[in-house]
Amino acid sequence: MRRGVPILLAGVLMMAVYQAGAGIVPQVFRTDKGVTVWLASRTSLPFVVIKVLVRAGSIYDTDEKAGVAYLVSQLLPEGAGGMTGLQISQALDYMGSDLDTGCTKEYATLTLVTLKEHLNESFRILSLVLSQPAFREEDFERVKKEVLGELLKEEEDPGLVASRAFDEHLFGDHPYHRPEKGYYKTVETLTLEDVRGFYRRFYRPNFSIFSVAGDITREELEGLIEAYLGDWSPSDKPLPSIPDPLPLGKTEKVVLDKQVTQANIVMGHLGVKRSNPDFVKVYVMNQILGGGGLTSRLFQKVREEGGFSYSVYSYFQPSYWRGAFRVVLQTKNDRAQAAMDEVVKVLEDYKYKGPTAQELEDAKRYLTGSFPLRLNTNQEIADYMAFAALHNLGADYFVRFPKEIESVTLEDVKEAAMKYLHPGRLLEVVVKGPSSP
Amino acid sequence: MAEVYGLNVRTKVLDNGLKVVVLEDHSTPTATFQVWYRVGSRNEVSGRTGISHLLEHMMFKGTDKYGPGEFSKIVARNGGVENAFTSRDYTAYFENWASDRLKVSMELESDRMRNLKLDPQEFEREKQVVMEERRLRTEDDPISLLVEEVYATSYKVHPYHWPVIGWMSDIKSITLEDLKRHYKTYYAPNNAVIVVVGDVDAQQVFRQVEEYFGALPRGENPPPVTSVEPPQRGEKRVTVVSPEARLSFVMLAFHVPSIDSGEEYALAVLTNILGEGKSSHLYQRLVYEEKAAVFTSAHYQGMAKDPVLLYLYAGLVPGRSPRDVEVLLREEVAKMKRGEFTDRELEKAKNQVKAAFIYGLDSNFYRAMNIGKLEVLGVGWEYMQTYVERIGVVTRDDVVRVAKKYLKDTNLTVGILVPERNL
């Protein structure tokens, strides 16, 4: 929920505002139950962030039972190991600890933030929630209603509606097409057995990553995992195999009507997955096109020169399977087509002419210079390490990544633009209202 | 305690009135540079609301020395992350980057403090962008619309009546002359504070700031804000019927004092017991017991220049009536006035505030944010040093007293969001 005095930003996205932490070299190890652990010990402040990532995302739902993965993640803290949900929240709140659970398409997360002085008890509760959830009927019915409420509420957000419609069309039959939380009509039909079955299949140590940053040593962490997760049993079945999505063969335009004053636009096509060897080249290529900061080509043409939109950016999802490339913007209803034409012009020009040497130089300096700013806080470090662990990027990733950016050449970027941008094959989704004055 | 919070702060005031606050932290070779101006929507007048925010946008549109967008290019080229924000009480600009880049901040920020170009063509285009921003953030977001209405209803005299982004017709009609006047009045060294947190040497920062900002002339003292919100004399109600809303939403808002009133600590604890986390009164009652709400919260942000709103809200489970939920929210408020909360809940609230404070210190940027806010609000960065301690001594009686004093029906504005399809 929104909190605090509304603060308006002149920029595109505030994201977190990043600072320092250059050259983090985490300790990476595996427990005997198969949990992958990434640890960055930092003693500057007496608290710890523990992010648990479980390969239990909604990609493993089915179309008929879409929403199970999310429902499981929401039910975990509602009762575990003999404690009720209320007892769990009372205990955590009393210590000033936060436990948040959620799920994306690719994985579920449990994030614990705790003061050092309460680490042991907070970790114990986290472990119960992760390894001994109760899944009681009464909680199930209540949380299901809450999720249904959330799903309704999300329909209020035209940006989200546009992005969902984009995924539905772009990914076709591939499981990426489904929204993380499922659909109202499928969630309504879910049963407690569905929840229990999904949990048993996917919430296993050997499908899990612990990403830990803050005032804790490896010995302490290993001790806690052994003491509280000793009985958590690994799976002997591998994760289901899922192929990459296939490209749409054609352009497509989807227009959805809503009573809004602004058209929400998503345009794009399939992108590259994180494990693609060209990923870093594509990342640098996109930075110039529509990446972070207030200087990209799309920002220049669509916002600064066109005055079309407050926010405009382009993005290649660093996904596990082949994900999307998308351009996202909003403009008043009657300028929607003009704004989209402008985006296509920018894409075409960039694809065929590529960037200037100066643009590449600037982009590289921005990306390498601002990289340490993304790794400043325990939370940011835990998030980023979890990402690096999921994609198997190696413990030296935080040292290596800036060098990889540095080594990208003008030829690389030109090739990446030619190969991975397809302005002639765009899927365009527009959620708009009647033309406004 | 003081060591944990690491607040080794140095300050200096230049002859032209510019205050500089530096916090050294050598843990990583980076720093944040922030310029805070004592101007926000609070300093605006009817017909020209949103002008402070519009000016914030124009600050990226060039000076005589640096053309439109050049500021941002230079920052990006140096590996910096920049942005700006406008609130009711202040406007701030920042660059985060390697600490050896600080001089670039000083060159650019000192230039745009006094030498902004304000080109008519750029201005007309930027108005379009800000209107899009308003559509994005407010017009097409039902809850934002309701919150805007609650403020506009609750405040009739004081400028917190209008939103920071301004009313649409004002954004449209503000002239370049208005903007130039606003800039000249409020953008001056004596109306600004510079905050630097990171891997720097305070004395060196002072010397550099003197070098870059020292020659800027002091401006006239900006006019004071004279409007005072009179006491509310009875309950107010406002309803927003939205074609796009799917969930009903109920909000209760009360006028309460802000920072430096001495009552902000008890109000923070009160708010916490009512609405923070799943063990809070609102969540327990409305979500767990009555199954009437999908989410609940209570909000009090005392870091403001003038009296603010303490508000509670709930998003309804489909099918539940806003009237019923309003009654439940009122019942929970009444319990606080009768002191119906446990000592453990009081302790819990204090522990949560303390923990959140420590978590919030984990970034140069957020520490600088807190320092900057406290400086422009007039209480000074020192306020941070005693905050947790002052929360720690709040008693049950304090909480009950502020609840009785402020959470009363005559001081209440009720806001209800109704999905049109439910009518």
Side-chain angles (χ1 to χ4, degrees):
Chain A
M1 275 313 300
R2 68 213 67 238
R3 313 203 51 165
V5 179
I7 285 183
L8 301 165
L9 298 164
V12 188
L13 283 171
M14 174 110 163
M15 310 292 282
V17 178
Y18 300 122
Q19 311 224 336
I24 288 170
V25 183
Q27 302 183 62
V28 176
F29 55 95
R30 199 178 289 264
T31 69
D32 53 7
K33 290 274 166 37
V35 178
T36 302
V37 184
W38 284 49
L39 167 66
S41 296
R42 300 167 85 229
T43 53
S44 49
L45 287 166
F47 80 99
V48 186
V49 175
I50 297 173
K51 179 163 178 164
V52 182
L53 187 153
V54 185
R55 296 281 303 274
S58 62
I59 196 138
Y60 299 119
D61 283 347
T62 59
D63 280 2
E64 298 70 41
K65 296 202 180 289
V68 181
Y70 181 67
L71 193 52
V72 169
S73 75
Q74 296 308 289
L75 265 166
L76 290 175
E78 296 297 333
M83 296 172 87
T84 65
L86 183 57
Q87 285 165 341
I88 287 171
S89 60
Q90 278 172 340
L92 290 170
D93 287 351
Y94 186 76
M95 296 183 284
S97 304
D98 283 326
L99 175 62
D100 187 46
T101 61
C103 121
T104 70
K105 291 186 183 182
E106 297 176 352
Y107 50 81
T109 56
L110 297 86
T111 306
L112 172 72
V113 185
T114 176
L115 291 177
K116 172 86 177 169
E117 58 181 303
H118 300 305
L119 174 62
N120 189 70
E121 179 62 6
S122 296
F123 191 95
R124 189 181 74 84
I125 294 173
L126 167 71
S127 303
L128 293 178
V129 165
L130 176 61
S131 67
Q132 300 176 43
F135 296 132
R136 289 177 314 178
E137 184 71 41
E138 187 199 341
D139 297 316
F140 170 77
E141 289 304 329
R142 174 175 55 80
V143 171
K144 189 162 117 176
K145 280 213 182 84
E146 287 167 33
V147 172
L148 290 171
E150 280 175 43
L151 287 170
L152 283 181
K153 177 147 193 348
E154 287 179 353
E155 286 173 36
E156 294 172 1
D157 181 342
L160 206 53
V161 170
S163 133
R164 296 225 167 123
F166 180 83
D167 285 357
E168 290 289 355
H169 286 84
L170 182 71
F171 294 115
D173 294 337
H174 189 272
Y176 263 157
H177 81 89
R178 292 186 301 260
E180 294 86 338
K181 298 184 184 178
Y183 309 97
Y184 196 96
K185 60 179 193 305
T186 57
V187 172
E188 266 185 318
T189 67
L190 297 179
T191 66
L192 196 51
E193 256 333 290
D194 296 329
V195 164
R196 291 198 168 121
F198 189 92
Y199 173 82
R200 272 195 305 268
R201 175 73 179 89
F202 295 105
Y203 280 74
R204 300 289 189 161
N206 50 330
F207 301 149
S208 300
I209 291 161
F210 273 56
S211 177
V212 180
D215 191 357
I216 180 172
T217 64
R218 177 169 173 170
E219 290 66 37
E220 286 172 310
L221 181 58
E222 283 180 321
L224 288 168
I225 292 174
E226 201 173 301
Y228 297 118
L229 288 167
D231 295 334
W232 191 27
S233 59
S235 168
D236 46 18
K237 271 198 289 186
L239 286 167
S241 146
I242 291 179
D244 281 318
L246 298 171
L248 286 175
K250 53 183 169 53
T251 60
E252 202 178 325
K253 184 164 177 176
V254 179
V255 179
L256 301 172
D257 292 319
K258 223 168 159 17
Q259 291 296 313
V260 288
T261 65
Q262 202 179 39
N264 280 256
I265 299 164
V266 184
M267 308 160 76
H269 45 65
L270 281 190
V272 290
K273 53 184 173 182
R274 183 60 186 84
S275 58
N276 185 314
D278 287 341
F279 184 84
V280 175
K281 294 171 194 169
V282 171
Y283 179 68
V284 175
M285 182 272 282
N286 181 68
Q287 171 60 27
I288 300 163
L289 173 63
L294 313 179
T295 56
S296 73
R297 285 196 178 193
L298 285 169
F299 193 85
Q300 275 307 315
K301 292 290 177 194
V302 176
R303 172 166 159 167
E304 300 297 280
E305 291 172 29
F308 284 108
S309 186
Y310 171 70
S311 155
V312 56
Y313 62 90
S314 64
Y315 182 59
F316 280 84
Q317 276 176 295
S319 49
Y320 200 84
W321 291 272
R322 191 172 175 196
F325 160 72
R326 63 184 85 206
V327 178
V328 180
L329 66 153
Q330 313 82 26
T331 192
K332 67 180 186 177
N333 291 316
D334 52 12
R335 294 184 83 191
Q337 193 53 53
M340 289 161 76
D341 292 346
E342 188 62 38
V343 169
V344 172
K345 253 169 59 185
V346 172
L347 287 175
E348 279 175 347
D349 183 73
Y350 187 58
K351 174 182 170 88
Y352 295 109
K353 294 188 194 144
T356 65
Q358 182 68 53
E359 280 179 311
L360 174 62
E361 189 52 35
D362 288 356
K364 282 159 69 170
R365 288 175 66 172
Y366 172 77
L367 292 174
T368 52
S370 63
F371 180 65
L373 305 177
R374 290 161 205 271
L375 293 163
N376 189 47
T377 65
N378 287 336
Q379 183 70 59
E380 287 163 3
I381 293 169
D383 287 345
Y384 215 138
M385 287 194 308
F387 169 81
L390 174 70
H391 293 287
N392 222 350
L393 297 171
D396 65 340
Y397 174 71
F398 300 102
V399 179
R400 207 181 65 230
F401 187 56
K403 292 179 189 158
E404 291 179 1
I405 290 169
E406 208 48 69
S407 70
V408 173
T409 66
L410 196 59
E411 266 324 294
D412 290 338
V413 173
K414 283 184 173 167
E415 277 174 30
M418 276 304 287
K419 188 167 172 193
Y420 296 109
L421 293 177
H422 308 293
R425 280 197 269 142
L426 290 171
L427 166 63
E428 301 176 339
V429 175
V430 186
V431 173
K432 63 193 281 278
S435 283
S436 47
Chain B
M1 216 62 140
E3 284 160 35
V4 169
Y5 303 154
L7 299 179
N8 182 19
V9 174
R10 300 271 179 274
T11 62
K12 184 179 178 181
V13 182
L14 271 49
D15 289 342
N16 60 13
L18 178 64
K19 184 168 184 182
V20 192
V21 186
V22 182
L23 170 54
E24 292 185 23
D25 179 332
H26 303 286
S27 52
T28 57
T30 63
T32 181
F33 185 94
Q34 308 188 346
V35 186
W36 291 71
Y37 293 94
R38 292 182 190 91
V39 60
S41 60
R42 177 178 176 273
N43 305 88
E44 296 168 356
V45 294
S46 189
R48 289 194 288 279
T49 65
I51 192 169
S52 305
H53 172 251
L54 198 47
L55 179 56
E56 177 224 304
H57 275 244
M58 291 305 291
M59 283 284 277
F60 294 83
K61 294 299 187 172
T63 61
D64 289 330
K65 205 164 166 186
Y66 300 101
E70 218 176 312
F71 188 108
S72 300
K73 275 202 183 113
I74 294 171
V75 174
R77 201 171 283 164
N78 282 281
V81 173
E82 54 154 355
N83 218 321
F85 45 86
T86 306
S87 86
R88 298 191 170 90
D89 301 323
Y90 46 80
T91 309
Y93 301 82
F94 67 86
E95 295 86 41
N96 301 331
W97 43 22
S99 43
D100 63 2
R101 306 284 96 171
L102 272 197
K103 277 183 116 169
V104 187
S105 279
M106 302 209 202
E107 161 69 16
L108 295 172
E109 292 292 4
S110 62
D111 181 43
R112 71 175 172 181
M113 184 177 279
R114 279 316 235 179
N115 305 323
L116 202 58
K117 197 156 178 192
L118 295 172
D119 171 79
Q121 250 187 324
E122 292 285 348
F123 176 57
E124 285 312 313
R125 242 186 335 234
E126 205 56 26
K127 279 164 98 169
Q128 299 294 324
V129 170
V130 173
M131 285 189 253
E132 293 303 338
E133 185 180 356
R134 185 177 157 85
R135 291 186 186 104
L136 176 70
R137 291 183 189 277
T138 311
E139 310 277 329
D140 289 344
D141 180 345
I143 291 182
S144 290
L145 270 185
L146 178 74
V147 171
E148 192 174 88
E149 288 296 321
V150 166
Y151 272 87
T153 305
S154 189
Y155 290 96
K156 64 174 180 179
V157 173
H158 188 275
Y160 290 169
H161 171 77
W162 52 74
V164 173
I165 198 163
W167 304 118
M168 197 61 113
S169 59
D170 290 355
I171 302 171
K172 242 181 235 175
S173 60
I174 287 169
T175 67
L176 195 61
E177 285 317 304
D178 296 332
L179 207 65
K180 283 180 175 164
R181 206 177 319 117
H182 201 69
Y183 177 63
K184 189 164 179 286
T185 307
Y186 295 102
Y187 282 61
N190 50 309
N191 201 41
V193 177
I194 287 178
V195 183
V196 180
V197 177
D199 185 22
V200 296
D201 173 78
Q203 296 309 322
Q204 192 187 341
V205 171
F206 293 148
R207 277 195 301 277
Q208 288 172 341
V209 172
E210 181 73 54
E211 180 188 334
Y212 283 94
F213 293 84
L216 297 179
R218 176 189 282 270
E220 280 180 40
N221 287 337
V225 173
T226 53
S227 299
V228 176
E229 188 64 27
Q232 190 173 320
R233 310 226 175 259
E235 184 175 312
K236 300 182 186 185
R237 301 184 72 85
V238 59
T239 304
V240 168
V241 178
S242 163
E244 280 302 320
R246 305 293 159 111
L247 287 193
S248 300
F249 181 89
V250 178
M251 178 171 170
L252 307 189
F254 303 89
H255 291 282
V256 293
S258 58
I259 206 165
D260 218 20
S261 60
E263 293 183 310
E264 71 267 37
Y265 308 100
L267 286 164
V269 171
L270 165 70
T271 307
N272 200 293
I273 296 173
L274 262 175
E276 184 66 40
K278 286 185 173 177
S279 70
S280 66
H281 279 205
L282 295 182
Y283 200 90
Q284 275 192 54
R285 180 80 193 283
L286 280 90
V287 180
Y288 277 121
E289 287 170 29
E290 303 288 341
K291 300 179 175 56
V294 178
F295 58 85
T296 62
S297 193
H299 176 84
Y300 169 65
Q301 178 46 270
M303 274 207 199
K305 193 88 184 155
D306 296 319
V308 292
L309 295 180
L310 183 163
Y311 52 84
L312 6 158
Y313 56 76
L316 274 57
V317 166
R320 298 300 295 248
S321 106
R323 284 281 173 186
D324 294 350
V325 169
E326 182 188 334
V327 169
L328 293 172
L329 288 171
R330 283 170 178 266
E331 282 176 12
E332 291 310 310
V333 166
K335 284 182 192 165
M336 298 303 293
K337 292 198 266 192
R338 294 196 300 265
E340 290 177 26
F341 53 90
T342 66
D343 288 340
R344 194 173 161 86
E345 284 178 306
L346 185 67
E347 279 312 305
K348 178 195 76 172
K350 293 177 183 181
N351 294 345
Q352 281 179 312
V353 171
K354 181 185 149 199
F357 186 83
I358 292 174
Y359 303 153
L361 292 174
D362 196 18
S363 131
N364 289 341
F365 180 76
Y366 287 110
R367 278 186 294 180
M369 286 280 288
N370 280 324
I371 292 171
K373 245 185 252 178
L374 294 168
E375 287 294 330
V376 293
L377 293 177
V379 296
W381 66 270
E382 294 89 345
Y383 185 89
M384 256 167 102
Q385 286 194 308
T386 56
Y387 185 74
V388 170
E389 213 174 298
R390 293 289 300 268
I391 287 283
V393 298
V394 169
T395 65
R396 153 179 296 279
D397 287 349
D398 295 334
V399 174
V400 173
R401 184 169 37 77
V402 293
K404 279 184 177 158
K405 190 168 167 190
Y406 299 109
L407 306 191
K408 46 186 191 184
D409 292 352
T410 51
N411 190 30
L412 166 67
T413 303
V414 181
I416 296 180
L417 174 68
V418 182
E420 197 177 280
R421 60 189 71 207
N422 288 5
L423 292 176

